[in-house]
Amino acid sequence: MPSPDPARPVRSDARRNRDKLVAVARAAFAAADGAVALEAVAREAGVGIGTLYRHFPTREALVEAVYAAELDAVTDSAPALLEHLAPEKALRAWMDRYAAFVATKRGMGDVLRASVASGRIATPATRQRITAAIGAILDAGAKAGTLRAGVDPEDVTLLLLGVFLSTASPDEGDAERTGRMLDLIVDALRVNR
């Protein structure tokens, strides 16, 4: 399928349809234990399957679009959280957003692994964006005197990945355990007063 002409503007209805498809797919992948039927995504978005395939010619293209949209939402949320919350509360709220991002990926695991293996999704770039968001919050907390200064944001990223890997099963208690472990990380990063 040929790529759209980058000089040609995208019609507003086409953009709305694409955005609806990504939003519906995001929710479907997050809720699914297995494969998600693309026909169901199109139907829930209120478009035909042809419209879905015009925007996303393969399942992989749709998964990658969902991944990119969610990554943007997670990384872009750090400054907004800092505008409204104290840094330590912003950090904890951001961790919840990141946990939801990781949980959403469980329904897309096989396709994401193939996309990473093929190089269509660059994991170092993803980790850099996540680490930069954490770094911004840690810097704000250090300036406010509420979070420890000198903490390597990459260390926090690795701690979070460890939490998410250790609580990856769909057991009922894992969501609560994830929350408790995230609380422990924030407590470890607070300045002792």
Side-chain angles (χ1 to χ4, degrees):
M1 176 173 241
S3 300
D5 180 357
R8 188 173 158 199
V10 178
R11 293 185 347 232
S12 61
D13 62 328
R15 185 174 299 120
R16 273 193 308 275
N17 286 341
R18 185 185 190 289
D19 292 346
K20 280 193 292 186
L21 286 163
V22 169
V24 168
R26 180 190 273 169
F29 289 134
D33 287 333
V36 172
L38 297 184
E39 293 81 5
V41 171
R43 188 173 39 258
E44 182 67 26
V47 301
I49 192 70
T51 299
L52 183 144
Y53 282 118
R54 240 186 329 280
H55 291 285
F56 308 105
T58 64
R59 173 179 296 278
E60 291 78 11
L62 179 59
V63 167
E64 290 165 15
V66 169
Y67 179 85
E70 189 64 20
L71 180 62
D72 288 345
V74 168
T75 57
D76 294 349
S77 69
L81 289 168
L82 284 168
E83 285 181 24
H84 302 289
L85 299 171
E88 67 279 5
K89 293 194 182 298
L91 178 62
R92 184 60 179 85
W94 186 87
M95 287 177 173
D96 284 337
R97 294 284 310 265
Y98 186 35
F101 169 76
V102 171
T104 300
K105 304 312 147 270
R106 291 186 183 132
M108 305 184 296
D110 292 338
V111 174
L112 281 176
R113 279 188 283 286
S115 295
V116 168
S118 72
R120 289 189 309 269
I121 293 178
T123 54
T126 298
R127 183 172 293 177
Q128 288 170 352
R129 291 181 65 192
I130 294 295
T131 300
I134 292 168
I137 298 171
L138 292 175
D139 288 345
K143 287 177 186 158
T146 57
L147 294 174
R148 292 174 35 199
V151 174
D152 184 345
E154 178 73 15
D155 291 346
V156 178
T157 300
L158 293 173
L159 281 169
L160 292 173
L161 292 174
V163 167
F164 301 142
L165 286 172
S166 67
T167 59
S169 72
D171 293 338
E172 283 183 31
D174 277 350
E176 288 179 24
R177 175 168 283 135
T178 298
R180 288 192 310 268
M181 293 172 83
L182 296 178
D183 288 341
L184 286 171
I185 292 172
V186 172
D187 285 345
L189 295 171
R190 280 195 178 99
V191 170
N192 295 330
R193 294 182 184 215

